[in-house]
Amino acid sequence: MTRLFTWVVNNLDAFIGLILALTVAILGLTSTVSQEVVNSAILLILALLAQAMLRDRLRRETNEHQVRHVLGDTRDRLTELVPQMREITGPDGALNRAREAIDSVSMVRVLNGTEVGQALAEARRHTDRWDFKGGTGTYTRAVTLPECLDHARKRNATLRFAIEIIDPTDEGVCERYARFRRSLAPDAPGERWTVDRTRKESFATVLAACWHLQRSGLLTIDVRLSPRMTTFRYDLSSSCVIVTQENPQTPALRIDRKELYYNRYNIELQSSREQSRRVPIEAAAQVKLDDEPSVEQVRRLFTALGLPLPRSFGDRDVADIVGKAIQARDPYA
């Protein structure tokens, strides 16, 4: 009821004209008033309608003027703001400078969970070099080396690979590494980390390097054996360096090539290799390795490399090394 009353007040002239028209029409039909009165009433109604139309037009023109004024004022304000926005968001703007400042401060990016595997896969995709330093190189021979070679073949490009692992002929470092691995997951299922397993894993990485080298003219590989163990693994590609640990749940670090510490890690890995024993990988050409190397071939290979297998290793142990090298599986899959 309130809304109806408000509408009537806002449109009083039109409402009066409507009532007057109805009244005159009824009186005219019943011949209660003369024709002159009816004609006069019609003129009055037309006058009311004309007044309503004029008022509506005036109100509309007033609104249009107000809208034009608001639009003009808005345009002027936007014109003033555009240069300021360009100063903020432009190529040399404050926002871009702030982003660059943040990026320069956070030179190291922390990777968690699946981000680690994704970062390593991305680094393998387009690299022409890979430097690894770590324990026995299990993941390197199972995933990194084969995939880097596969991508290099697709690009018809060369690949330079460098590996530094613990020395399988050094029983002391193998014992320390096995003890370290057992301390990480003492109740983990699968093969237990012992001195013999550690030796086999390192020998398998050397065998895998020789096996791939004989099958790819695109590959240049350098293998070094260290008397010191490290609890970190370093994977340096042409785009970044990624530092991980044996525990896959531990966050990893990624440093892109454009950052200062990429070059520092590059120098560190080179210095570490120079202090380690070089495997004369070129001597591997003396022993032709089959697609599935035989026990005799493997024994002759390691003798040629100056890495004779322990006398305690029987044929079954050598076959185990072959399986780890040629049929290596991703330890984190």
Side-chain angles (χ1 to χ4, degrees), residues 143-273:
V143 179
T144 307
L145 179 55
E147 286 196 8
C148 284
L149 272 173
D150 185 54
H151 291 307
R153 291 190 191 100
K154 291 177 180 178
R155 301 192 312 271
N156 194 27
T158 58
L159 174 66
R160 186 183 70 77
F161 218 92
I163 300 175
E164 182 184 339
I165 56 176
I166 60 176
D167 190 342
T169 64
D170 188 328
E171 186 173 349
V173 71
C174 290
E175 170 60 36
R176 290 193 298 273
Y177 185 78
R179 187 165 56 247
F180 165 69
R181 291 302 301 268
R182 289 196 302 268
S183 70
L184 294 179
D187 300 322
E191 186 180 358
R192 187 171 183 267
W193 279 94
T194 62
V195 173
D196 280 351
R197 180 189 175 182
T198 302
R199 284 179 162 182
K200 289 179 183 179
E201 297 287 352
S202 286
F203 277 125
T205 298
V206 176
L207 174 58
C210 296
W211 188 85
H212 284 290
L213 183 62
Q214 290 190 6
R215 280 158 179 75
S216 176
L218 302 174
L219 178 63
T220 302
I221 194 164
D222 178 49
V223 180
R224 304 288 177 129
L225 304 178
S226 174
R228 297 172 297 277
M229 62 159 283
T230 174
T231 60
F232 289 95
R233 296 180 306 187
Y234 304 88
D235 287 277
L236 186 144
S237 69
S238 58
S239 61
C240 65
V241 57
I242 299 174
V243 183
T244 57
Q245 294 191 54
E246 298 294 348
N247 187 346
Q249 305 302 321
T250 304
L253 304 178
R254 170 177 174 162
I255 303 171
D256 290 334
R257 184 188 180 94
K258 63 182 180 179
E259 305 298 347
L260 171 65
Y261 276 94
Y262 175 89
N263 292 326
R264 297 295 173 84
Y265 274 109
N266 191 17
I267 295 172
E268 167 65 22
L269 294 179
Q270 179 179 340
S271 175
S272 182
R273 285 196 302 271

Side-chain angles (χ1 to χ4, degrees), residues 23-50:
T23 303
V24 171
I26 294 172
L27 293 176
L29 290 174
T30 56
S31 301
T32 305
V33 295
S34 65
Q35 187 62 38
E36 288 79 4
V37 173
V38 172
N39 292 337
S40 299
I42 290 173
L43 292 174
L44 179 59
I45 293 169
L46 291 174
L48 288 173
L49 291 176

Side-chain angles (χ1 to χ4, degrees), residues 47-154:
L48 288 173
L49 291 176
Q51 187 272 336
M53 292 176 62
L54 289 173
R55 186 203 60 186
D56 183 66
R57 181 174 297 176
L58 178 62
R59 182 181 299 171
R60 186 168 59 250
E61 290 178 352
T62 302
N63 291 338
E64 290 177 355
H65 177 73
Q66 291 176 347
V67 169
R68 283 196 297 269
H69 178 72
V70 170
L71 290 176
D73 186 57
T74 303
R75 184 187 62 245
D76 294 339
R77 290 180 179 274
L78 288 176
T79 303
E80 295 174 359
L81 287 175
V82 166
Q84 299 176 17
M85 292 297 294
R86 288 175 179 169
E87 291 179 2
I88 296 174
T89 61
D92 299 323
L95 185 61
N96 197 43
R97 292 197 301 271
R99 186 184 297 112
E100 292 175 353
I102 293 173
D103 291 341
S104 64
V105 171
S106 56
M107 291 186 296
V108 179
R109 179 183 171 192
V110 178
L111 306 176
N112 293 281
T114 58
E115 291 180 330
V116 181
Q118 293 170 357
L120 287 169
E122 180 184 348
R124 292 191 294 264
R125 192 168 294 116
H126 303 292
T127 191
D128 59 357
R129 64 170 295 190
W130 198 280
D131 294 7
F132 170 79
K133 176 183 176 181
T136 59
T138 306
Y139 183 84
T140 299
R141 71 170 180 270
V143 179
T144 307
L145 179 55
E147 286 196 8
C148 284
L149 272 173
D150 185 54
H151 291 307
R153 291 190 191 100
K154 291 177 180 178

Side-chain angles (χ1 to χ4, degrees), residues 295-310:
V295 171
E296 180 59 30
Q297 288 175 345
V298 173
R299 288 189 183 278
R300 287 193 290 113
L301 171 69
F302 282 113
T303 299
L305 296 176
L307 298 172
L309 295 172

